[in-house]
Amino acid sequence: MDREFVTIAGFSALFLMMALRVPVGIAMAVVGIGGFGAVVGMEQALRLVALSPLSTATTYHLAMIPMFILMGAFATRSGMSRELFRAAEAWLGHRRGGLALSTIASCAGFAAISGSSIATAATLTKVALPEMRRVGYCDSVSSGVIAAGGTVGILIPPSIVLAVYGIITEQNIGTLFIAGLVPGLLAVALYMLTVTLIAHLRPASMPVGTRHSWGEAFAALRSVWAIGLLFVLVVGGIYLGVVTPTEAAALGACGALAIGLARRRLDRKAIMECLIDSLRVSVSIFVVFMGALLFSYFLAITQTPQNVADYLTSLPVNRYVIMLLILLLYLLLGCVLDSMAMVVLTVPILFPVVTQLGFDPIWFGVMVVVAIELGLITPPIGMNVFVINSAQKDIKLTTIYRGVMPFIAIDVVRMGLLLAFPAITLFLPSLM
């Protein structure tokens, strides 16, 4: 069968199934098997079905994903997220907009033990939103701050999305983690700047919180030692080359479990619930991976990545114009797709384009995550927006969208800075 026809039919079927709410992993698997079988025969395609899922499930590097998820589950169940918010509130809450600043700082801290944007947004909705409402923050500001702050969960290391990107593109995952640190901190700084400007322009929307004594502030700060320890174990170990990312993930999960047990916040029931929750999330990610592997055979046999790369690199335009189009594509996909689905679906196709254009693959990985972050809060969907809405039913979607608009604007500025100055991303990895 003609390969161009198979390519068009395959992608049409993929988008149709996604529109019909078929899980992305299943949709990619069906298209991968059908497309590969249409070109070389169904017997060979069915052999892939027998071998590929097993090879995916037993890949050593993928073991870091359930370990990082388990670390976040243990840390959350141990109350670290609430302690983190209390400490940030003790230091920043007395300022106008202080609780919003505390929320962003808490998002950054929780990202260091979570690696998931959705988990960060969901956790801070439960912890920070009631406090901001109690003080008198308007719902649009409080929900917008949480939605935007939650996006740093997939950039500040350890990042599950960056790990998946590294596995797909065969890039050093430790280097990707370190490359995401400065852009992640830049996001935190710009979000805090945005909150400060909103507090200055609309003071009624952000009342002044309670002032704490120096003793209370330092006492609250002492309670977050566990998060600092886990961050040093995981990120510090990777940066110094003491452990591999997979080993760091296992070390982080064991460390979170040990801390929870030592502080008597994890009993047998809580540990089992953490294991079950982590298993559910991990299995959903592995299903996407298995589907992506089968889909990659379809891409290879139809030579889709090579054809796309040849077409885009032959265009008579500057390479940065093509990069802007790629980032715009991620922004649009981020409005309707989960971050993991976007990465496994698009990176195998676009990565050859980026490398042929001469862009650094580590830098591109961070740019992909930054674009995905922006898509997580961009209408008409925005996954973080829906997470907050599902956790807090009385806040309308339009209210949350109104609150995230200033953060969308500042994210566009951040993307422009990272695009214009790649050294912001690549400076720390160059020191490893």
Side-chain angles (χ1 to χ4, degrees):
M1 190 176 293
D2 182 70
R3 298 192 182 194
E4 291 186 1
F5 173 78
V6 172
T7 302
I8 296 173
F11 277 95
S12 299
L14 177 66
F15 295 139
L16 176 62
M17 284 189 284
M18 290 167 60
L20 294 174
R21 300 295 182 90
V22 176
V24 175
I26 302 299
M28 288 192 294
V30 170
V31 172
I33 297 167
F36 190 86
V39 176
V40 301
M42 286 306 299
E43 183 178 350
Q44 290 86 343
L46 292 176
R47 287 177 183 170
L48 294 178
V49 179
L51 298 175
S52 295
L54 179 62
S55 64
T56 301
T58 55
T59 300
Y60 173 74
H61 295 299
L62 286 180
M64 77 177 71
I65 294 177
M67 289 296 101
F68 278 135
I69 294 171
L70 186 59
M71 179 179 73
F74 283 146
T76 302
R77 197 58 183 260
S78 300
M80 294 183 192
S81 57
R82 191 171 299 277
E83 291 174 345
L84 185 63
F85 178 76
R86 295 300 180 196
E89 190 266 338
W91 283 87
L92 301 171
H94 64 280
R95 303 171 180 270
R96 185 170 297 281
L99 282 181
L101 295 174
S102 303
T103 300
I104 293 172
S106 301
C107 287
F110 189 74
I113 56 174
S114 169
S116 168
S117 174
I118 292 176
T120 302
T123 301
L124 269 296
T125 299
K126 299 175 184 176
V127 173
L129 187 60
E131 291 296 319
M132 287 192 278
R133 279 185 150 184
R134 180 182 61 81
V135 173
Y137 277 62
C138 70
D139 284 344
S140 64
V141 170
S142 56
S143 59
V145 166
I146 295 172
T151 61
V152 301
I154 59 171
L155 186 54
I156 291 180
S159 165
I160 295 175
V161 175
L162 278 177
V164 171
Y165 172 88
I167 292 170
I168 293 173
T169 61
E170 299 182 351
Q171 298 299 309
N172 187 290
I173 297 173
T175 304
L176 284 165
F177 281 175
I178 302 304
L181 186 57
V182 173
L185 295 177
L186 177 62
V188 173
L190 291 176
Y191 287 163
M192 287 186 168
L193 175 61
T194 304
V195 167
T196 304
L197 291 175
I198 295 173
H200 177 73
L201 296 174
R202 296 163 52 196
S205 65
M206 294 187 181
V208 176
T210 305
R211 179 179 291 274
H212 295 265
S213 67
W214 285 106
E216 291 173 330
F218 280 106
L221 194 61
R222 286 197 298 269
S223 65
V224 299
W225 65 268
I227 293 176
L229 177 60
L230 288 176
F231 185 79
V232 170
L233 283 175
V234 175
V235 180
I238 293 173
Y239 182 79
L240 296 175
V242 178
V243 292
T244 66
T246 305
E247 294 166 345
L251 185 63
C254 291
L257 174 61
I259 291 170
L261 290 173
R263 301 168 89 179
R264 298 183 179 180
R265 295 180 179 177
L266 289 176
D267 54 19
R268 180 181 296 181
K269 180 181 177 182
I271 292 173
M272 287 302 300
E273 289 176 352
C274 290
L275 290 171
I276 292 171
D277 290 342
S278 301
L279 180 63
R280 287 172 178 163
V281 176
S282 300
V283 166
S284 66
I285 293 175
F286 271 66
V287 169
V288 173
F289 251 107
M290 292 173 184
L293 182 60
L294 292 170
F295 187 69
S296 69
Y297 290 111
F298 162 72
L299 295 179
I301 202 67
T302 57
Q303 297 185 334
T304 301
Q306 297 91 321
N307 293 335
V308 172
D310 291 341
Y311 173 74
L312 290 178
T313 53
S314 66
L315 293 176
V317 295
N318 188 281
R319 63 177 186 154
Y320 282 97
V321 175
I322 298 175
M323 179 56 66
L324 285 173
L325 293 175
I326 292 174
L327 295 176
L328 179 61
L329 172 65
Y330 276 107
L331 176 59
L332 295 175
L333 289 176
C335 298
V336 296
L337 280 181
D338 173 72
S339 56
M340 195 66 63
M342 274 189 286
V343 171
V344 298
L345 181 62
T346 60
V347 167
I349 299 173
L350 296 176
F351 186 73
V353 179
V354 172
T355 53
Q356 284 192 34
L357 291 174
F359 289 106
D360 187 280
I362 300 295
W363 172 82
F364 177 65
V366 173
M367 292 301 296
V368 167
V369 173
V370 171
I372 289 172
E373 283 182 323
L374 185 52
L376 287 172
I377 57 175
T378 303
I381 307 295
M383 294 299 293
N384 277 15
V385 174
F386 275 82
V387 167
I388 295 173
N389 175 254
S390 62
Q392 201 71 40
K393 298 289 188 181
D394 59 335
I395 299 181
K396 296 180 179 179
L397 286 173
T398 53
T399 301
I400 306 175
Y401 286 135
R402 190 165 61 249
V404 298
M405 286 304 172
F407 299 99
I408 292 176
I410 204 67
D411 264 342
V412 172
V413 173
R414 176 168 60 111
M415 188 180 293
L417 289 173
L418 296 176
L419 184 62
F421 304 103
I424 297 174
T425 301
L426 299 176
F427 172 70
L428 272 185
S430 69
L431 301 179
M432 292 180 67

